[in-house]
Amino acid sequence: SISTKQVLITAWITAVFFFILHMQYQLYYMTGALILCLVTGVLYEKNRNIWGSVMIHFAIGFLPRCLGVLQIIEG
């Protein structure tokens, strides 16, 4: 069984990786990627179901881009 400490360490390492992968964007976008990765990672570990994480990523990342919300925010 995986301990809570191991889950948090893994979530942080993965979140930092995604933070770095989003370096071509502005800092607030990179920070959002880090936070989203942490939240979805912990959600997955709690429920052992990837679909909650997929739906959160879709709602926060894909839909705003499709609807032009990010273009309005970025100017």
Side-chain angles (χ1 to χ4, degrees):
S1 176
I2 298 175
S3 72
T4 302
K5 182 178 178 181
Q6 290 171 321
V7 168
L8 291 175
I9 290 171
T10 303
W12 271 105
I13 290 170
T14 307
V16 169
F17 177 71
F18 275 88
F19 180 83
I20 292 168
L21 282 177
H22 288 83
M23 281 178 49
Q24 71 268 26
Y25 300 106
Q26 294 180 3
L27 183 60
Y28 74 87
Y29 199 89
M30 293 169 60
T31 305
L34 182 130
I35 293 168
L36 179 61
C37 188
L38 280 173
V39 169
T40 57
V42 170
L43 180 67
Y44 171 77
E45 287 297 331
K46 182 179 177 184
N47 297 320
R48 290 296 204 205
N49 188 336
I50 194 73
W51 291 108
S53 298
V54 169
M55 295 309 292
I56 288 174
H57 188 275
F58 181 78
I60 293 175
F62 183 70
L63 283 180
R65 187 168 296 278
C66 287
L67 299 173
V69 174
L70 293 178
Q71 292 171 349
I72 294 168
I73 293 171
E74 293 174 351

